[in-house]
Amino acid sequence: MRVKILSRNPDDYVRETKLDLQRVPRNYDPVLHPFEVPREYVRALNATKLERVFAKPFLSSLDGHRDGVNCMAKHPKSLSTVLSGACDGEVKIWNLTRRECIRTIQAHEGFVRGMCVRFCGTSFFTVGDDKTVKQWKMESPEYGEEEEPIHTILGKTVYTGIDHHWKEPVFATCGHQVDIWDEQRTSPKCSLTWGFDSISSVKFNPIETYLLGSCASDRNIVLYDMRKSTPLKKVILNMRTNTLCWNPMEAFIFTAANEDYNLYTFDMRFLESPVRVHMDHVSAVLDVDYSPTGKEFVSASFDKSIRIFPVDKGRSREVYHTKRMQHVITVKWTSDNKYILCGSDEMNIRLWKANASEKLGVLAPREKAAMNYNQKLKEKFQFHPQIRRIAQHRHLPKSIYGQIKEQRIMREARRRKEMNRRKHSKPGSVPFVPEKKKHIVAVVK
């Protein structure tokens, strides 16, 4: 007689100690799981709701300035060091781990217009309203030593911005023209100019390090090559660009922050139209900075909020604001891709999480696995109406909410007017102009 018996290996289901987790045998045959998708949908919905519950991005504020924060700079070697310059000429160096000011310098008379740190991190440069460029040591002076700059360059006009080369002892300043300086000389190596208006911002390309971009108040964005004595080309927009930032991962891509409430991502080889128009702010965009991954950037606006945009999307994925935060003038994304710093009119620097609902600190392996699983579920069901509505909902201040509503009405009125004009005109006389082309006036080479 043949008897069928169940034969099991105890190692598959018996715990070795009382502290071990119970082992659960699982069969992944899809035939045995007819309700897998509805179950996953419920999990995705719960994960999305929990993400919104735990979205608490504000970490702390660094206060100590006695006037509005006008500019900031990151340390290239130290994640915990950040520098800020105020409208009263004061420069502060902060330690982010301790969240306190470790050094204060009275650098200029009047505004500190721009700051940059040398690529090795040993010193930093500041420019101000007193027509000077000053180089300072990063370390605090010894006991009894005077707090004085290493070098001071006295210029003929006010400098409005400064940026340092990523690999060589060269820096660029801007004012009524773009000047390229060698650190050892008191006169510029070369001066580049195209047009007559003042230039508000200049930035070196982090990959193709000999390329520069600048924004002028006559609505131009001008590109330069340090190896040539003349500018490369420029694009003229409908309104003035306040600043630009190069993508640290793609050599030819840069994003410009404009007065017309939009940001424009350009490919410098094809300036005829931007790659993407980013629309969400309801007032002038004053500053922009890329994340170190190059996939997202953060923008600061006059509408008292900061927004995080994915590079390939036209709308922001996140908006940060507080009741006390006034016009945000400067913003920086830290080099570890975890935090965002913003400086505003009311003398505070605020520290935010780059991912609003991210849990800080050490994560257990099970927590990591659960987070990755929830993330995949949210991606799988992201276009489902209910999940999409919860994921996209943000609380906005009344002022921003009112302005969004007003601008929607204005945009609709313009669209209706154009449709009526097209309807009552000769066919083809009122062409369709795509959104990307609307804001470009001309490209000059």
Side-chain angles (χ1 to χ4, degrees):
M1 188 174 75
R2 189 176 294 172
V3 178
K4 290 184 179 177
I5 62 167
L6 290 175
S7 174
R8 287 182 181 165
N9 183 1
D11 292 344
D12 291 340
Y13 59 93
V14 177
R15 291 188 297 174
E16 290 181 9
T17 68
K18 283 196 293 184
L19 300 175
D20 280 359
L21 296 171
Q22 287 281 7
R23 293 185 185 179
V24 182
R26 286 200 176 91
N27 189 336
Y28 292 106
D29 183 1
V31 179
L32 302 174
H33 296 279
F35 298 115
E36 185 183 13
V37 174
R39 197 181 302 130
E40 280 190 344
Y41 168 71
V42 171
R43 284 176 186 166
L45 189 64
N46 289 339
T48 309
K49 285 176 180 175
L50 284 173
E51 183 189 44
R52 297 316 312 146
V53 167
F54 291 122
K56 293 182 171 57
F58 180 69
L59 292 173
S60 75
S61 86
L62 311 172
D63 43 353
H65 277 295
R66 292 170 296 179
D67 208 335
V69 182
N70 198 47
C71 55
M72 285 196 294
K74 292 183 286 191
H75 196 290
K77 305 277 175 155
S78 166
L79 285 174
S80 61
T81 307
V82 71
L83 300 90
S84 63
C87 298
D88 58 355
E90 199 173 60
V91 170
K92 283 185 181 286
I93 302 176
W94 304 87
N95 186 312
L96 292 181
T97 45
R98 299 205 302 265
R99 294 179 192 175
E100 63 183 28
C101 175
I102 52 175
R103 189 171 161 211
T104 305
I105 307 163
Q106 187 58 46
H108 295 276
E109 292 167 20
F111 283 44
V112 180
R113 289 290 174 188
M115 302 174 75
C116 66
V117 184
R118 200 172 187 270
F119 60 91
C120 60
T122 53
S123 62
F124 63 94
F125 295 82
T126 60
V127 293
D129 275 355
D130 51 5
K131 303 181 184 177
T132 56
V133 181
K134 293 183 181 180
Q135 184 181 4
W136 307 82
K137 276 186 188 170
M138 190 61 78
E139 286 81 32
S140 301
E142 300 292 325
Y143 179 74
E145 195 182 331
E146 288 288 319
E147 184 77 88
E148 285 185 350
I150 308 169
H151 299 299
T152 303
I153 299 167
L154 188 59
K156 295 188 177 100
T157 56
V158 173
Y159 296 110
T160 53
I162 186 168
D163 197 32
H164 203 284
H165 196 280
W166 290 79
K167 289 176 183 170
E168 293 171 18
V170 172
F171 63 92
T173 59
C174 61
H176 75 291
Q177 62 187 17
V178 172
D179 293 322
I180 312 290
W181 304 76
D182 193 306
E183 285 181 12
Q184 308 302 321
R185 294 171 61 180
T186 55
S187 58
K189 282 202 310 183
C190 69
S191 296
L192 304 161
T193 181
W194 194 353
F196 300 99
D197 273 27
S198 62
I199 296 160
S200 57
S201 161
V202 63
K203 292 283 167 72
F204 274 100
N205 191 320
I207 303 167
E208 301 289 348
T209 49
Y210 46 81
L211 290 176
L212 298 100
S214 76
C215 311
S217 56
D218 56 356
R219 303 174 299 153
N220 293 343
I221 299 172
V222 188
L223 301 175
Y224 308 93
D225 191 330
M226 253 174 40
R227 299 166 300 184
K228 292 185 177 181
S229 57
T230 54
L232 289 175
K233 49 185 169 180
K234 69 176 174 182
V235 55
I236 306 167
L237 278 76
N238 275 332
M239 289 185 79
R240 185 163 64 100
T241 302
N242 287 314
T243 186
L244 60 85
C245 187
W246 294 92
N247 190 323
M249 288 293 161
E250 296 183 63
F252 303 112
I253 304 293
F254 66 90
T255 297
N258 204 279
E259 284 280 325
D260 65 358
Y261 316 168
N262 297 341
L263 294 112
Y264 301 98
T265 297
F266 283 97
D267 186 325
M268 65 170 282
R269 298 164 295 181
F270 314 107
L271 291 175
E272 288 74 24
S273 73
V275 179
R276 185 80 56 190
V277 181
H278 308 275
M279 314 164 78
D280 255 348
H281 281 295
V282 292
S283 194
V285 189
L286 301 180
D287 199 11
V288 59
D289 192 39
Y290 264 93
S291 72
T293 59
K295 291 182 178 176
E296 293 181 320
F297 60 84
V298 60
S299 62
S301 172
F302 201 74
D303 63 13
K304 307 177 188 177
S305 70
I306 61 175
R307 287 181 182 267
I308 300 171
F309 290 86
V311 174
D312 54 347
K313 300 272 194 318
R315 297 287 176 182
S316 63
R317 74 159 171 87
E318 202 64 79
V319 54
Y320 294 161
H321 57 87
T322 67
K323 277 187 179 178
R324 296 187 179 203
M325 189 157 77
Q326 295 303 307
H327 312 305
V328 191
I329 298 168
T330 176
V331 72
K332 286 280 178 255
W333 198 309
T334 57
S335 304
D336 61 348
N337 200 29
K338 288 230 179 231
Y339 306 103
I340 287 165
L341 288 148
C342 70
S344 49
D345 256 357
E346 83 309 329
M347 307 179 280
N348 268 359
I349 296 167
R350 287 181 174 81
L351 184 64
W352 310 83
K353 286 193 277 190
N355 188 355
S357 57
E358 184 182 19
K359 187 182 175 186
L360 299 178
V362 181
L363 294 177
R366 288 184 72 200
E367 277 183 306
K368 269 187 193 168
M371 276 173 55
N372 292 339
Y373 177 59
N374 286 341
Q375 188 59 39
K376 287 293 177 193
L377 284 178
K378 283 184 283 189
E379 283 173 20
K380 183 176 177 181
F381 291 95
Q382 63 183 329
F383 298 111
H384 193 283
Q386 191 76 352
I387 288 176
R388 191 176 177 186
R389 183 185 63 79
I390 295 166
Q392 288 186 348
H393 177 75
R394 295 292 179 277
H395 174 266
L396 291 170
K398 203 172 181 180
S399 58
I400 295 179
Y401 186 74
Q403 282 173 291
I404 288 174
K405 209 170 173 184
E406 192 179 310
Q407 282 175 21
R408 194 183 297 128
I409 293 165
M410 288 160 67
R411 208 162 38 241
E412 187 58 38
R414 279 198 298 269
R415 193 182 67 84
R416 204 164 50 243
K417 185 177 180 181
E418 193 179 327
M419 278 172 61
N420 289 339
R421 188 175 289 155
R422 191 172 287 118
K423 198 189 294 179
H424 298 288
S425 300
K426 187 179 164 186
S429 61
V430 183
F432 286 94
V433 182
E435 187 65 39
K436 286 180 182 178
K437 301 253 183 191
K438 277 180 189 173
H439 310 280
I440 307 296
V441 176
V443 177
V444 187
K445 293 182 183 177

